[in-house]
Amino acid sequence: MILQAQRLTKKFPGVTALSEVSFDLAEGEIHALCGENGAGKSTLIKLLSGIHPHVSYEGRFDVQGTEARFAGIADSARAGISVIYQELALVDEMSVAENIYLGCEPRRWGGLVDWPRMFREAKALLDRFKVELDPATLVRDLGVGQKQLVEIVKALGKNSKILILDEPTAALAEHEVRVLLDILRDLRRRGIACIYISHKLEEVFSISDRITVLRDGFSITTLKTAETTKAEVISKMVGRELGDLFPRRSSSPGQVLMSVDRLSVQDESGQARLHEVSFELRAGEVLGIGGLMGAGRTELLMHLYGAWGRRSGGVVKLSGETMTGSDPARTLRAGLALVSEDRRRYGLILEEEIGFNLSLSSLGEITRHGLVNRSLETKRNRTIYDQLRVKATGLEAVVGRLSGGNQQKVVIGKALLTSPQIVMLDEPTRGIDVGAKLEIYELINRLTEEGKAVLLVSSELPELIGMSDRILMLNEGRIGGAFTRAEATQEKLMQAAMTQT
């Protein structure tokens, strides 16, 4: 065993994040950590990486047979541990090569950076791991998936013996996921050990050798991947059996709430991004929107909300009223709310409290003569807080300290407080655990039962099929195919997303 943790316990004021957790990792093993948000996965990573120093927790862990007494992340790195976090740590204004060697740049005589050597070695490293990027490219010009791959190559370039990956594929396209998993399999053959954290059980089962489940700060069990099932892992994660991962209930669509007729949109440079998109959305219906990265899914929702793009053609109507597509405030008043893909950037003010964030989009409802009615605000916020079952110490809790699933609930709650008739959800379950996903699925069902309509964008085809009444697949800004729930299969959806139109 290259790493052994024994009875690790980590306490914060008022909460025990880890309770006597034991865990081990063998050389050349990919060991998956699974658990709901708040189960203790992030805390365990921070112990292993030195963010929480050895004097701040109980228990011990050994690295290569020696007790680890890390005072900080530098000690962890010297012990051969590298961590790739979900939130990337790259410098946008630097090149790919500069980011890979940041802090350990090759130098020539006199201490000057050896630039030719740096770019040459960066190119060799990228080629070694089959990442097709120019080392001279500025990171700011890369997509999110490409940035993630740079972060991974940066860690691998340090010749680490233990690699910890926290949701490494959350922002990757399907082909980039395949590249990453191939890289990890190659590392396994070279004897490098990996701790792999992901909510995507398909990946966990395709790549891992063993799975350890954490729940409520406890290590529940460790299972050999080949000897268990997804259903068993999910049951251990949430403490109960889950019969149906996608509990979509049948609906009876009513009147048309939104009609989009031959919508064409350009970006700020004048390039056409959406081409003659047409569809109708009815009360009580979930309309799924799928497609590959870059197909125009987020751009469609952002434009309908009035926050992106210049309309070059077509008409959008909400409940019969024509919308110009350039005023989010008017869109909100018309009954259309958006839960954006990037909740931390567009959905929340992380340093503020839950109550503050919940009120942001509906301040007009609780303001009189320029003053906020605090009692009314608290009453409204408490109602939605309880309905969504946000797990926190109260409305005064700082949003940035919540788990991903609970942050997502706050973003959704903020949207629902505007009393929308249509809710647009852009990747609402990305980066959250199975239990939180089920709660969001049940919320979608409640919304449609109340006669509201949901526009659901998702990269996960089983989720699209399981939760949508109808599905539109976008292909390079055009509709590549339309399917009822009964017609939809993963093969048909992918063909519609990839076939040239």
Side-chain angles (χ1 to χ4, degrees):
M1 292 295 167
I2 192 171
L3 184 149
Q4 288 179 297
Q6 303 169 25
R7 302 170 70 89
L8 291 176
T9 298
K10 174 64 178 175
K11 298 178 180 179
F12 296 98
V15 64
T16 300
L18 293 178
S19 184
E20 298 193 347
V21 168
S22 296
F23 172 85
D24 55 37
L25 178 69
E27 288 186 354
E29 178 189 29
I30 298 177
H31 195 139
L33 277 181
C34 293
E36 296 188 78
N37 287 59
K41 304 187 300 297
S42 296
T43 303
L44 179 58
I45 291 174
K46 289 175 181 176
L47 261 65
L48 301 179
S49 63
I51 291 178
H52 295 320
H54 74 279
V55 295
S56 68
Y57 59 85
E58 301 170 25
R60 62 176 282 170
F61 67 95
D62 298 349
V63 178
Q64 300 187 73
T66 302
E67 183 180 1
R69 300 176 64 85
F70 300 152
I73 57 176
D75 291 343
S76 173
R78 281 191 289 270
I81 298 175
S82 288
V83 184
I84 299 168
Y85 293 100
Q86 188 174 356
E87 304 297 329
L88 303 180
L90 300 174
V91 182
D92 279 350
E93 302 306 318
M94 289 185 173
S95 68
V96 170
E98 289 172 296
N99 272 278
I100 290 174
Y101 288 102
L102 187 61
C104 54
E105 298 86 351
R107 298 185 180 273
R108 59 180 63 179
W109 184 85
L112 298 176
V113 175
D114 189 340
W115 295 102
R117 179 184 166 194
M118 177 191 290
F119 283 95
R120 186 171 61 252
E121 291 184 357
K123 181 66 166 64
L125 197 60
L126 291 165
D127 290 345
R128 175 183 171 191
F129 295 110
K130 302 175 184 176
V131 178
E132 298 179 1
L133 288 176
D134 184 344
T137 302
L138 293 180
V139 165
R140 71 182 180 196
D141 296 328
L142 302 179
V144 176
Q146 293 172 315
K147 289 180 180 179
Q148 180 69 283
L149 293 176
V150 172
E151 187 79 83
I152 291 166
V153 171
K154 177 181 174 181
L156 296 175
K158 298 176 181 177
N159 295 317
S160 302
K161 298 297 183 183
I162 299 172
L163 191 62
I164 304 175
L165 301 103
D166 185 9
E167 295 287 349
T169 65
L172 300 188
E174 188 174 346
H175 71 281
E176 292 169 326
V177 172
R178 289 196 296 269
V179 169
L180 172 62
L181 297 186
D182 285 343
I183 288 173
L184 296 183
R185 293 185 182 103
D186 182 54
L187 294 177
R188 177 165 51 194
R189 287 190 290 269
R190 301 182 193 189
I192 294 175
C194 296
I195 299 174
Y196 192 87
I197 298 170
S198 177
H199 292 305
K200 300 179 180 179
L201 291 183
E202 292 81 5
E203 293 174 11
V204 167
F205 274 79
S206 71
I207 196 68
S208 68
D209 300 296
R210 287 189 295 161
I211 300 170
T212 289
V213 176
L214 297 181
R215 186 173 77 237
D216 298 328
F218 294 87
S219 47
I220 301 300
T221 187
T222 296
L223 305 163
K224 290 184 178 180
T225 306
E227 297 176 1
T228 186
T229 65
K230 294 177 188 175
E232 182 181 12
V233 171
I234 291 171
S235 175
K236 299 292 186 184
M237 285 169 58
V238 301
R240 61 186 186 275
E241 298 295 332
L242 298 175
D244 187 0
L245 289 179
F246 305 105
R248 177 65 183 145
R249 293 190 280 273
S250 59
S251 64
S252 301
Q255 66 178 352
V256 174
L257 296 181
M258 174 190 285
S259 65
V260 177
D261 183 26
R262 292 178 293 178
L263 175 66
S264 297
V265 183
Q266 298 175 342
D267 62 20
E268 61 275 7
S269 68
Q271 180 180 357
R273 298 295 298 275
L274 297 173
H275 309 270
E276 297 195 337
V277 174
S278 299
F279 63 87
E280 289 185 340
L281 178 62
R282 296 179 178 273
E285 179 182 42
V286 177
L287 177 60
I289 305 289
L292 303 177
M293 287 187 70
R297 299 168 303 173
T298 294
E299 289 82 357
L300 173 61
L301 266 58
M302 292 285 280
H303 181 77
L304 293 174
Y305 190 61
W308 176 87
R310 185 180 68 83
R311 189 174 304 173
S312 56
V315 177
V316 177
K317 292 184 178 181
L318 294 180
S319 299
E321 179 185 358
T322 300
M323 304 298 293
T324 61
S326 60
D327 187 354
R330 183 187 174 198
T331 304
L332 267 179
R333 290 194 298 270
L336 177 61
L338 170 66
V339 175
S340 62
E341 176 183 16
D342 191 341
R343 58 179 173 265
R344 296 176 67 87
R345 182 177 181 185
Y346 296 120
L348 298 167
I349 298 179
L350 295 172
E351 62 272 17
E352 293 290 349
E353 299 174 349
I354 292 175
F356 180 95
N357 277 275
L358 285 172
S359 299
L360 281 176
S361 293
S362 55
L363 282 172
E365 300 296 320
I366 56 175
T367 303
R368 297 293 181 271
H369 308 296
L371 299 176
V372 174
N373 184 332
R374 293 297 182 189
S375 62
L376 177 59
E377 178 186 28
T378 301
K379 181 179 179 181
R380 282 162 42 91
N381 288 347
R382 171 59 62 181
T383 299
I384 199 73
Y385 176 92
D386 292 340
Q387 286 178 353
L388 296 179
R389 296 196 288 272
V390 180
K391 296 178 182 177
T393 55
L395 290 169
E396 301 78 19
V398 175
V399 165
R401 297 176 186 171
L402 302 181
S403 67
N406 285 298
Q407 287 182 355
Q408 187 72 319
K409 290 179 185 179
V410 174
V411 178
I412 293 173
K414 183 182 68 170
L416 295 182
L417 283 173
T418 66
S419 302
Q421 285 302 302
I422 300 172
V423 181
M424 299 191 296
L425 302 173
D426 193 355
E427 301 285 5
T429 64
R430 171 171 287 173
I432 66 176
D433 59 76
V434 174
K437 284 184 178 182
L438 280 169
E439 290 182 328
I440 289 176
Y441 297 151
E442 289 293 353
L443 172 63
I444 291 173
N445 284 334
R446 290 203 303 272
L447 291 174
T448 55
E449 286 170 357
E450 294 169 2
K452 303 182 191 304
V454 174
L455 202 57
L456 173 65
V457 166
S458 177
S459 299
E460 298 185 27
L461 296 183
E463 182 174 87
L464 272 183
I465 295 171
M467 290 305 299
S468 304
D469 299 304
R470 292 184 297 123
I471 300 171
L472 301 179
M473 296 300 291
L474 290 183
N475 184 335
E476 297 182 352
R478 297 176 172 84
I479 293 181
F483 307 87
T484 65
R485 185 179 185 182
E487 295 169 340
T489 65
Q490 293 193 49
E491 291 75 17
K492 288 181 180 179
L493 298 185
M494 283 304 298
Q495 184 176 15
M498 298 178 69
T499 304
Q500 293 292 326
T501 56

